[in-house]
Amino acid sequence: MSFFGLGQSATLELRLSEPGSSGGGGGGGSRGRAGSAGLPAAGGGGGGGGGGPGSPAVFVDGETVAGRLLVSLKNPGKRLEHGGIKVEFVGQIELYYDRGNHHEFVSLVKDVARPGELTQSQSFDFEFTHVEKPYESYSGQNVKLRYFLRATMSRRLSDVVKEMELLVHTLSTYPELNNPIKMEVGIEDCLHIEFEYNKSKYHLKDVIVGKIYFLLVRIKIKHMEIDICRRETTGSGPNVFHENDTIAKYEIMDGAPVRGESIPIRLFLAGYDLTPTMRDVNKKFSVRYFLNLVLIDEEERRYFKQQEITLWRKGDIVRRSMSHHAAIASQRYESPPPAPPPAASTGEPGPGGDSEPPPHAPAAFARGRADGDAPRDLLRDEED
């Protein structure tokens, strides 16, 4: 920075190395990138790759972050005094209701140049080896979790600072236990339905397969849909904030059902803006997902039942600069193929593995419940 237009000044530019190279790679243009410029809302649901040159590069836990810092003098040949040049790797949580405080959970520093003078433009290599990145990048309603590189040239009057956003994806293996969801709900003497989803844990490009079975219908239903809802929770104790966001609405029935009718469900998640489920991230926030079954009758009254699901990111990217253990773990990410769509009241196995009863025997269908359990209530929307 110059003073009253006098003196030398400089600009900083950060460039990432190619995956697998060490230090001064130069371009970094071919590594995986996010699908949209800047941090995508709620972290983005896709994998690394496909974005433009303005998109942040995608990294995973245990991967090396390396590159080159370019210092360009505006007036080559003139002396530029500085108090040292450093590059930082920072992981930070920002709560929007507490903007003055940034909570850093990762902070690494590399000094690339000692205090001295520069008379011409120079470049400096940096490398953060096998960096721990414990959380997924996220940008929500009340909180933002971000990773970035920050280059700083110390000056007497004002430092020269340049930042580069990075996107981090947390990869998971296929869950060992993934039980189907079965539940019978209803309104006493008016409506009894049983819904079933093939799994309780889904990766971000998975397919939700299930069915809705009508055991008793005495109200005039005209419409039924499934909503994917995200609930963001920030703060703790008395200062807890909840934000609910409907990510998608998927119509599964239009028209009045009859007793014994079975409605199949097949919902593809790949097209929606989803993140993995996050629980108590650094004791600052949580992100949870729900499937909301909504029924609307002819008088526009809404009935709903919510069921939590767990989302996780399948590891479809293996970095050559990842740690040995992370690379081995990434080989096990492939999940079994999704269950076939349920047959509509034919007695064939459904997504949970049990046979569906024929329409004339709805009472035998409720064997997903423990003996003696009463059907759970279907909730009425209080806003209507």
Side-chain angles (χ1 to χ4, degrees):
M1 177 179 180
S2 60
F3 186 64
F4 293 120
L6 303 175
Q8 178 65 291
S9 60
T11 59
L12 306 181
E13 181 182 357
L14 287 163
R15 295 184 181 179
L16 293 174
S17 301
E18 297 292 335
S21 65
S22 176
S30 64
R31 70 170 297 112
R33 292 188 176 272
S36 61
L39 266 177
S55 305
V58 180
F59 290 87
V60 296
D61 184 24
E63 186 177 2
T64 294
V65 180
R68 177 172 293 174
L69 170 65
L70 304 180
V71 181
S72 301
L73 302 186
K74 292 186 176 180
N75 298 303
K78 291 186 178 182
R79 294 189 310 164
L80 174 66
E81 296 183 359
H82 63 86
I85 304 173
K86 64 182 179 180
V87 178
E88 300 170 85
F89 177 89
V90 180
Q92 178 179 277
I93 296 175
E94 178 184 349
L95 299 172
Y96 294 159
Y97 61 83
D98 188 19
R99 290 181 179 271
N101 295 321
H102 294 166
H103 307 276
E104 294 187 358
F105 54 89
V106 176
S107 181
L108 304 175
V109 182
K110 295 286 185 181
D111 292 316
V112 297
R114 296 179 179 180
E117 295 180 352
L118 295 177
T119 57
Q120 60 183 359
S121 300
Q122 283 188 243
S123 63
F124 304 91
D125 295 338
F126 63 89
E127 181 175 6
F128 299 95
T129 306
H130 304 315
V131 184
E132 180 182 4
K133 312 174 195 70
Y135 310 120
E136 175 110 357
S137 297
Y138 179 76
S139 180
Q141 301 288 337
N142 288 322
V143 63
K144 183 175 185 178
L145 190 153
R146 59 189 287 250
Y147 295 85
F148 59 94
L149 292 172
R150 179 167 56 208
T152 304
M153 173 187 286
S154 299
R155 299 294 309 278
R156 181 174 300 176
L157 295 178
S158 178
D159 295 344
V160 181
V161 180
K162 178 68 174 180
E163 291 186 357
M164 170 185 279
E165 293 284 342
L166 305 177
L167 199 64
V168 170
H169 287 171
T170 56
L171 306 182
S172 303
T173 58
Y174 186 78
E176 295 181 1
L177 296 177
N178 200 353
N179 298 322
I181 299 173
K182 295 182 181 180
M183 187 177 296
E184 184 177 330
V185 297
I187 304 169
E188 187 175 1
D189 297 330
C190 293
L191 177 68
H192 284 178
I193 64 174
E194 181 174 273
F195 64 84
E196 177 180 345
Y197 306 121
N198 62 329
K199 294 182 289 187
S200 57
K201 302 175 183 178
Y202 298 89
H203 63 78
L204 298 184
K205 297 181 181 179
D206 215 336
V207 182
I208 296 176
V209 178
K211 63 169 182 262
I212 310 294
Y213 191 86
F214 289 88
L215 302 175
L216 176 66
V217 183
R218 289 180 179 172
I219 59 177
K220 296 181 179 180
I221 300 174
K222 70 171 187 178
H223 176 74
M224 182 165 61
E225 66 184 28
I226 285 185
D227 301 340
I228 302 176
C229 301
R230 176 168 54 223
R231 180 176 300 166
E232 176 187 293
T233 304
T234 55
S236 60
N239 300 319
V240 175
F241 300 89
H242 299 284
E243 288 288 344
N244 296 310
D245 188 17
T246 300
I247 306 300
K249 292 187 176 182
Y250 180 71
E251 183 178 356
I252 58 176
M253 186 190 71
D254 186 15
V258 296
R259 177 179 175 178
E261 187 169 0
S262 180
I263 307 296
I265 300 171
R266 183 174 287 269
L267 175 59
F268 293 83
L269 299 179
Y272 300 114
D273 182 23
L274 303 170
T275 69
T277 296
M278 305 178 186
R279 303 185 189 277
D280 199 21
V281 174
N282 204 41
K283 298 183 179 180
K284 300 297 181 185
F285 72 96
S286 298
V287 180
R288 301 161 64 193
Y289 289 89
F290 297 84
L291 291 178
N292 196 19
L293 178 64
V294 182
L295 294 88
I296 304 174
D297 64 16
E298 291 186 348
E299 297 180 3
E300 299 299 328
R301 291 176 297 193
R302 296 165 62 89
Y303 307 90
F304 66 95
K305 186 64 179 180
Q306 212 169 62
Q307 179 66 45
E308 184 173 4
I309 58 174
T310 300
L311 299 183
W312 55 282
R313 186 183 299 279
K314 186 170 67 171
D316 52 357
I317 305 171
V318 179
R319 304 291 187 196
R320 287 178 291 174
S321 58
M322 289 172 60
S323 66
H324 177 68
H325 295 292
I328 292 177
S330 65
Q331 307 297 324
R332 301 181 291 138
Y333 292 148
E334 289 300 325
S335 62
S345 306
T346 61
E348 298 178 358
D354 293 330
S355 297
E356 298 180 23
H360 59 271
F365 190 71
R367 56 181 175 273
R369 299 182 287 118
D371 292 340
D373 285 352
R376 303 188 184 184
D377 290 338
L378 193 69
L379 301 179
R380 172 77 181 275
D381 194 337
E382 297 179 354
E383 296 179 356
D384 294 327

